[in-house]
Amino acid sequence: MWGIPLLLVIALLKYLFFRPHDKSSPDIRPEQKTPLDILKESYARGDLNRDEYLQKRDDLLEK
């Protein structure tokens, strides 16, 4: 008699605490890129020349 409600409680707890987290889940934020990461990507794409990259990198690192 107590078996069915007990199984339902166990199933509910398992669903709430042990469900797999996938990338489409709204509670997981995508990885945040730092300004330096964005600058490196721009340089890698060729949007900036070497001098521009070095100047902006130094500005970000406050050298």
Side-chain angles (χ1 to χ4, degrees), residues 7 14 16 18-19 22-23 28 37 39 45 48 54 57 61-62:
L7 287 175
K14 184 177 178 181
L16 291 175
F18 297 108
R19 62 182 171 188
D22 58 356
K23 297 267 187 208
I28 299 175
D37 292 335
L39 180 65
R45 279 193 310 266
L48 303 171
L54 293 175
R57 185 198 63 187
L61 298 176
E62 297 180 17

Side-chain angles (χ1 to χ4, degrees), residues 1 9 20 32 34 43 51 54 62:
M1 179 81 175
V9 169
Q32 297 289 329
T34 65
Y43 181 59
D51 293 332
L54 293 175
E62 297 180 17

Side-chain angles (χ1 to χ4, degrees), residues 34-37 39 55-63:
T34 65
L36 191 56
D37 292 335
L39 180 65
Q55 178 61 47
K56 291 178 189 230
R57 185 198 63 187
D58 291 346
D59 289 346
L60 288 173
L61 298 176
E62 297 180 17
K63 287 187 176 182

